[in-house]
Amino acid sequence: MLSAAISAALAEQGWCIVPDYLNAAEIAALRDECLGAHTDGAFHHAGIGSGTAEIRSDIRSDQVYWIDEAQISPALEAVLARLEALRLTVNRELFLGLFDIELHFAVYPPGGGYRRHLDRFRDDNRRTLTIIIYLNKQWTPADGGLLRFWPEESGHPIEIVPTGGKLVAFLSDRFWHEVTPARQQRVSLTGWFRRR
């Protein structure tokens, strides 16, 4: 079972990559939904920090659209069901106490990136497990927008190509990462499992 494999990788090293978490039809449906909302003006510039987030385009330049679980499409509902199965498995195997997920679509414009950071706020430790699912049609390393990820604090980073359908999961407070400048529009579904 995929959730068990992800949980085992998280237990062993704290992160994992699943190249084909979504199939082509699922990628297309979510991408269309994301870009439709973007065209309709539903997105806003992402900020940094919690509470009243500060807009700092020199640090991050993506736009986001937060998912309201009360108004989700069938495509999102299917992904949320799979993520819920993952939450239950991780809680059973790793005792992380995850109780919900916050999700947003993210769109990076050409030239956009996000400087090196952790996914946990200084004054709020609820974000525990980061989930990124890429929705890009076709992507190569030459397109930029790579997830540069430091699996060890003092080691060399690895660069993850944001290929459509790929899932990346990691413990939010442990792993520094950044998004290198993208050369074309870059799309993802990003979220955090939280504990109380």
Side-chain angles (χ1 to χ4, degrees), residues 64-98:
V64 297
Y65 173 63
W66 290 95
I67 305 298
D68 178 356
E69 289 189 43
Q71 301 174 344
I72 60 169
S73 66
L76 261 175
E77 190 172 7
V79 171
L80 278 170
R82 289 163 67 182
L83 292 175
E84 175 62 8
L86 175 60
R87 183 187 74 82
L88 294 173
T89 301
V90 167
N91 277 347
R92 185 174 61 248
E93 302 295 328
L94 305 183
F95 308 104
L96 291 182
L98 308 176

Side-chain angles (χ1 to χ4, degrees), residues 138-167:
Q138 297 169 342
W139 208 274
T140 69
D143 294 317
L146 306 176
L147 179 66
R148 187 172 288 149
F149 181 86
W150 281 263
E152 302 296 335
E153 195 169 319
S154 59
H156 295 288
I158 60 173
E159 292 188 333
I160 301 165
V161 180
T163 310
K166 182 181 293 179
L167 175 140

Side-chain angles (χ1 to χ4, degrees), residues 113-187:
Y114 192 168
R115 288 178 29 194
R116 191 173 188 257
H117 64 284
L118 288 173
D119 276 357
R120 185 172 284 179
F121 300 122
R122 288 191 190 118
D123 58 349
D124 183 346
N125 66 359
R126 290 178 296 168
R127 285 183 176 177
T128 304
L129 181 61
T130 299
I131 301 290
I132 307 166
I133 303 172
Y134 295 111
L135 306 175
N136 302 301
K137 265 188 181 173
Q138 297 169 342
W139 208 274
T140 69
D143 294 317
L146 306 176
L147 179 66
R148 187 172 288 149
F149 181 86
W150 281 263
E152 302 296 335
E153 195 169 319
S154 59
H156 295 288
I158 60 173
E159 292 188 333
I160 301 165
V161 180
T163 310
K166 182 181 293 179
L167 175 140
V168 179
F170 56 89
L171 297 175
S172 303
D173 65 340
R174 279 186 47 192
F175 297 103
W176 290 88
H177 57 286
E178 68 183 5
V179 176
T180 67
R183 294 187 178 90
Q184 60 175 311
Q185 189 179 60
R186 178 188 188 273
V187 185

Side-chain angles (χ1 to χ4, degrees), residues 1-14:
M1 185 176 174
L2 188 53
S3 291
I6 295 170
S7 182
L10 292 171
E12 181 181 342
Q13 62 187 15

